[in-house]
Every structure is written in C-alpha cells, then in structure tokens.
Amino acid sequence: MIAICLVLLLGLVAAAMAGVVPDGRRVPVAVVPLQDAPRPEGLPATRHAAALLRFELPPADGEARWVVRLEREAVDAVWLQSGDWRSPVERFFEPGEAGVFPGSFVFDLPASWAGPVELELHSTGDAPRALRPQVMDAADAMDLEHYAVAASATIYASLFTIGLLALALYSAARDRLFLALFGFTVVALLALSAVNGHLYQVPGLRMFAFWRSQGVVALVMLLCAAWLQMLLQYAGMDRERVRWKGLVDGVSLALVGLVALCLLNVPQLARTLAQVQVVPFGLALVLGLALLVDAARRRTLMALPLAALAVLALAGVILLELSARGHQVEGVLVRYGYQLAIVAGVAILAVGLVGRIAEYRRQRDRELLARADTERRMQREAARSELVSELQLRLRTLPPEDLPWSAFRLLLDRLRPLLPAERCVVVAQGLHGQDVLLVDPVGDTDAVRAQLGRRQLALRRQAANGIALQQPVTEVGQPSVVAIEAVVPLPIRAPAWGAVLLQRRGADGFATEELSLAGDFARQALLHLDQAMAAVQLRRSAELDALTGSFNRRTIDHWLTRTFAEAARSGQPVSVLFIDLDHFKSINDRFGHACGDACLREVARALRASLQEGDLFGRYGGEEFIVILPGRGGAAARAVAEQLRMEVESLRPECGGVLLRLTVSVGVATRLEHEEGPEATLARADRALYAAKAAGRNCVQVAPAVFR
Ligand SMILES: Nc1nc2c(ncn2[C@@H]2O[C@H](COP(=O)(O)OP(=O)(O)OP(=O)(O)O)[C@@H](O)[C@H]2O)c(=O)[nH]1
C-alpha cells in the first residue's frame, strides 16, 4: 500500500511539474465586457454574458494556427463570433467531441486571419464565471490539454485507488476512519470531476447535469462536509474527545443544508451560491487545518504533512478564486493545484493509516493471545477437575499397594497433554512405604532409572527445597543446551521425598505457570492418595482386632458365611479350628494384664505365621482364636491343628524376667454335607474344644458328626 501511495504521489508531482507550461507563442488579449449585447435566439433561459476580445495576430505564415482558449468553467454554452464568422457552441454540461478529460474550451480561428481581430465572446449559464480567454498557438494549446489530461487522470486514478484501498481496509478492520476515507474519496471523485466538467462525460452520471452549476456547488459543499468528518475521525483516532468537534459537526451540518438547498434547483439561488461557495469551501479548509494542527501537536501520525498540504490546497483555492474573478492568474496549476493537493493529502492520509493497520494487527494479536490464554485456562481447569474426580473414583476401589502408582499414573495422563514436555517422570521414595517410578513415555524407563540412580542425592536435595527449578541439560563434553529439565517437588514429609521431572527439547524453558500447574496437579494427586490411604487404614482398623492385628470377630463371621456358602456351592470341604489358651487366667493373675496382652500378641503372631495362604485367622474373643481352612477336610485340619498346638507349645514368652510356657487346646470340626451355614459346624468345633479341655488341655479334639 505504501508503494501504491508513493507511486501516486510521484504521479501528482509529475503532473504538477507538467503544469508549468512552456511560454510558447501567445498573443496578448484585451477583454472588454459588453453590457448590452443582444441575446441570441434559441438558447436556454439562463443569464447571458458577452465580452469583446481584441488582439492582433501576426501575419499568417502557413504553419502556425491560432486558437482562443477559455477556462472550462460551468457554463451552459459558450461561443465566439465576429461578423459572419461564428464558432461552434461548446457546452460544459453536454460535452460533445471534446475528447477525454478536456481541460479547456478551445476554438480554432480561421487560418487566414492576421492583423487586428475583434471577437465577441458569448456565454450563458446560471453562474457565469470569468473564462480567462487566451489566444495562442494551436500546438501550445494542445500541450496544455495534454498536461490537463495528465493532471486529471492522475487525480481520478489516485482517488479511485485510494478509495478502493480504504474500502478494503474498512472491510478488514471495521474502523469508521477507513469508511470516512472511502466516503471522502468517492465524494472527491464526483466533486472534482464535476468541477472539471468530466463527470458529465461518464455514462450513467450524466444525470448530474440536471442540476447544472448548482449540482457542482452541491458536490463541492458535500466534499467540504466529507473532508471535515474524515478529519474529525482522523483527529479522534487516539482519543475520545476532539477539540472543536461541536463546531466541526455544526459546519458539516450547515454544508449538508446547503447541498439540500442546491438540489432544489432554483435558478435564482445559483448565482448567489456560485459567488459565495468559496466561503464554506475556505472555511472547511481552515477548520480542517485547525484540526490537523491540533492533531500534529498531539503527535498524531502524518498530521504535519497533511496540514502542510491543507495550506497548499487553501492557497490553490485562493488562486483559483482570484482567477475566476478576472484576475490575471494563469496556468494549469491554478485549475488543478488545489485538486492535486487534496489528492496528495488523501494519499498521505492513507499512508498514515497503514500504521493504524499495524495497530489493528497488534490489537488482534493481543485479543487472540487473550482468547488462547482463556482457552488454555479453561482446558487446564477442566483437566484439573477431571483429575480430581478420577482420583476420587479410582483410588476408592484399588488395593492399598496399587494406590501410589495409580494416583501418579492419573496425574501424568492429565498433565502431559497440557505441557510442552517430551518426557514426564514421577519419582518418589518411601511414600507410604513404597518407591514409585513412573515414566512417560514408558519406553525408556530403564534409562531414566539409571540416570536417576546417579543423580539421586542432588534430586533429593532439590525436592526437599520445595521450590520448582529448571536447569539446562547438556550432552557430555558439549556446551550447547539440548534440553531443559524442570524439577517440581512433591510435598511429601521427610524422610520420604519425591518430584515430578519434566523435560523438553531445545533451550526454551517452561513457563512459571506451567510449573505451577504441574505442582498443583501433583498436590492434588498426593492429597487424594493420602486420603485413600487413610480410608484404607480406617477400613482395616474396623476389620482387625486392635490387640493382635488379626481379623476381629465381626470380620471372621463375615468370612465364615462367605466360605461356607462357597463350600456349599462347590462341594469343597471346609474346616474350622477353635484354639483356646489353657489356664490363661493364671497368667493374668500372676504377671498382670500387660503380660497377658503380650502373650496373646505372641500367640496370634505364631499362629498366623504357621498358616498357609488362603487360610483365615482371627481372634474370636478373649483368649480364644479361630482358624478357617477352606478346601481342607478332617484329617488335614487335624494335622494343621496339631501343628499349631505344637507351635504355641514351643513359644517362650518372657514376663518380668520369667520365661513362660503356653499351651492351647484345639477343637476341630469339618463342615458336613447337610450343614448350610457355619453355625452347626462352629457348635461342633466348640464342643470339640470343650472335649479337649476336658481331656486335659494342650491337645486336639476332632468333632464327630454327631455328639452323644
Ligand atoms: N490380658 C488379657 N486377658 C484377657 C483378655 N481377654 C480375656 N482375658 C482373660 O482370659 C481369662 C480367661 O479365663 P477362663 O475363661 O477362666 O479360662 P482359663 O483361665 O484360660 O482356663 P481354661 O480356659 O479353662 O483353660 C480371664 O482371666 C480373662 O480376664 C485380654 O484381652 N487380655
């Protein structure tokens, strides 16, 4: 866009330079207004003006042809006549064969004319203006036409391009400033082409001729209003309130009022408006200048060059007005100077607004970043709550030995997609009595284990610090950083310790919020792990006997029911052993309850140790224990009972320096086929125990099917 604007500006400069016309062969002309010239027939009922042109043509040399050149002002008709000779009638609003973008009315003089010439110049129109006649060589006039074509073509092309650009920028950025720029270029295209008379050559726009000179004035007023509104937007682009906004809006409104007035097409108004149109035009320029100076003081982009161009445009308008009022000011620049200044101003404004696009891009980037940030936050929040609910759900059902591993597995599953880490490792030692090493991706676990083994002390120190750290990873003997490793400590009470290790390739570290996210997720995993562990403890303590750590009566009853139901279903045997300490009262009495408790613990430990996997053991009450032997019938059960008895007999607990000897009596009963629940078998085992006691204790009695 900058390139386009520069090319356009260069074009403008070239056109302006071209306006400096070589002073070719010209003939001085004396213009004498004719007050009472007779009004010719067949012309529209508009005002008629005439003037007498006196000049002297050099003797005809056969080569030079002479023309009368008039400024192309908004007149209905213009022609020359002298005696019998009459030129063709030229019309501003109905251009005939004038060519593309004509710059003036040009009348060829007969080649035979030489010496003093007197010519009548006639014009009709609502608002006659000075036509500044010049008599010159036809070739010079042609040159001037070319310059005019170049100037006007540049003006229209520039406005057209900038207008399109402004529209494109508006559709991209939705900024009213671009809309104002587009509006101004459209109105400027219409107004300047109307002032130059080219608008009426364009098919589809010829209808503007309906308003004749009032249409031109209306478009010029509209241009002034658009100029003011555009500058208002421009001056206000960095802040809310603009100085003189009320005044500018008021003047713009008045200008639009004038436009409406012009469109009424009242012929009487035309002359007045044509005379005074320079006032609102100049006022708009001065006001615009004030806005620009104010904007320049606030260092608004391009305000100063724009103000300079506004001054040039103002000077151009003054020149044009002087010329239109009959003063001898000549040159293509008089006609096109202010127009070129306007176009240059619009081009500079467009260049200035490119900076605005950069601002938009920055703003859009900021918005995108904010949106991405919000999405990231939401994603993290969602992952966090999913982690929490998964931890709550999954850890509830798992056996205690699987809890640490599962908690950290869930942690890694949720954490990894949120972090730019190629490798995530959880390492913990002594956590709930376990060591944990989890590596994601799992492929290189052994390598990680080996690395961690070497760095264990350092890692332990970092983890104990409690602060997340990151450090560069280099290859052995190479200074370049190949990866960054972050150590996020797990809040575990010493001597246990643990950390989440994150590693990403390259020299870019982790963001602070990424590390705190890892820390937060790790805290959640630990919290729920601790809770799950505490729940397991609680569950266990409800199942176990507090003194011996064996199953309590309630738990044993539960297992009895389940085991007997299973045996009834499968037909497998099941036996029950009641084991009762002999003369335990005397131990309590002699050595105290603490010693009795110690003996109970010792016996429970010994019995438990002697059993196989799958056997169930519990304290049934007081000094009585129970053993359930699923899958074993009478003989096997008796053998187990005998072994247990001997096991206890071999114990030598010590109380108050005395080594004690303990014995147990054991009653054995095996489930009979018709016994559905455990009650009957238990009763028989109880009776067998009673029999063992009766038989002198420290022995095993197997219950018969029926007691007599
Ligand atoms: N120290 C301690 N003693 C207990 C506990 N539960 C029951 N006892 C004691 O165990 C003793 C049981 O006594 P008895 O039922 O008379 O039986 P015994 O002395 O073992 O004699 P026999 O069973 O007939 O051989 C009582 O003195 C209870 O106080 C306990 O948890 N700790």
Side-chain angles (χ1 to χ4, degrees), residues 547 580-586 588 592-593 596-597 600 619 622-623 693 697:
L547 180 70
D580 191 281
L581 277 160
D582 297 331
H583 302 303
F584 189 60
K585 185 173 181 308
S586 63
N588 273 335
H593 258 73
D597 286 350
L600 283 174
R619 185 176 174 208
E623 84 298 17
K693 291 274 182 189
R697 298 180 172 82

Side-chain angles (χ1 to χ4, degrees), residues 287-356:
L287 245 163
L289 195 61
L291 284 174
L292 286 171
V293 170
D294 187 47
R297 268 198 11 240
R298 284 184 282 112
R299 301 185 185 286
T300 308
L301 212 64
M302 294 287 180
L304 215 54
L306 270 175
L309 279 165
V311 171
L312 279 181
L314 194 59
V317 170
I318 292 169
L319 270 183
L320 184 72
E321 199 54 30
L322 284 176
S323 156
R325 286 166 197 269
H327 294 272
Q328 283 301 309
V329 194
E330 288 182 5
V332 173
L333 266 185
V334 173
R335 177 155 205 89
Y336 294 108
Y338 76 98
Q339 299 187 12
L340 289 169
I342 287 174
V343 174
V346 174
I348 284 190
L349 191 60
V351 173
L353 294 185
V354 173
R356 191 105 165 123

